[in-house]
């Protein structure tokens, strides 16, 4: 595990696995990012929302109520929260 504390009070824990998987936990908003060796990124938010970001930058958002939204050609560099 690696623990990082940034000057803006942003704290995250990073766990690196031998197979290349990386898990980031962001304390401030209680979210998790898992990056897989194939490039898939999965964000899990405290409210139960899950967002999958694929290599082509398309996204699948699964809301806490089970509703899903699929987005293509969705360009953004930040994690979206509700």
């Amino acid at each position: 595990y690696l623990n990082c504390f940034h000057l803006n009070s942003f704290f995250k824990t990073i766990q690196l696995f031998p197979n290349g998987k990386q898990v980031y936990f962001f304390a401030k908003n209680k979210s998790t990012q898992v990056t897989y060796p194939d490039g898939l990124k999965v964000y899990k938010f405290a409210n139960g929302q899950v967002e999958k970001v694929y290599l082509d930058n398309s996204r699948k958002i699964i809301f806490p109520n089970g509703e899903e939204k699929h987005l293509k050609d969705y360009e953004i560099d930040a994690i979206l929260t509700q």
Side-chain angles (χ1 to χ4, degrees):
Y1 290 93
L2 301 171
N3 291 315
C4 302
F5 182 77
H6 300 273
L7 294 177
N8 63 357
S9 300
F10 187 77
F11 181 80
K12 67 182 175 184
T13 299
I14 305 168
Q15 186 177 8
L16 307 173
F17 292 86
N19 67 356
K21 181 172 94 171
Q22 301 173 8
V23 178
Y24 300 86
F25 176 73
F26 301 94
K28 188 172 184 176
N29 62 358
K30 297 181 179 89
S31 66
T32 303
Q33 173 190 338
V34 180
T35 302
Y36 292 92
D38 64 0
L40 172 67
K41 293 180 182 177
V42 179
Y43 299 94
K44 296 180 182 180
F45 298 95
N47 67 357
Q49 178 176 318
V50 176
E51 186 170 334
K52 295 181 179 182
V53 181
Y54 300 92
L55 283 177
D56 65 356
N57 212 25
S58 63
R59 293 174 185 247
K60 177 180 179 180
I61 301 171
I62 305 166
F63 296 97
N65 66 359
E67 181 181 336
E68 293 185 7
K69 186 171 189 175
H70 300 265
L71 304 168
K72 294 198 183 266
D73 300 324
Y74 188 69
E75 297 182 9
I76 190 164
D77 294 324
I79 299 173
L80 296 178
T81 58
Q82 294 184 15

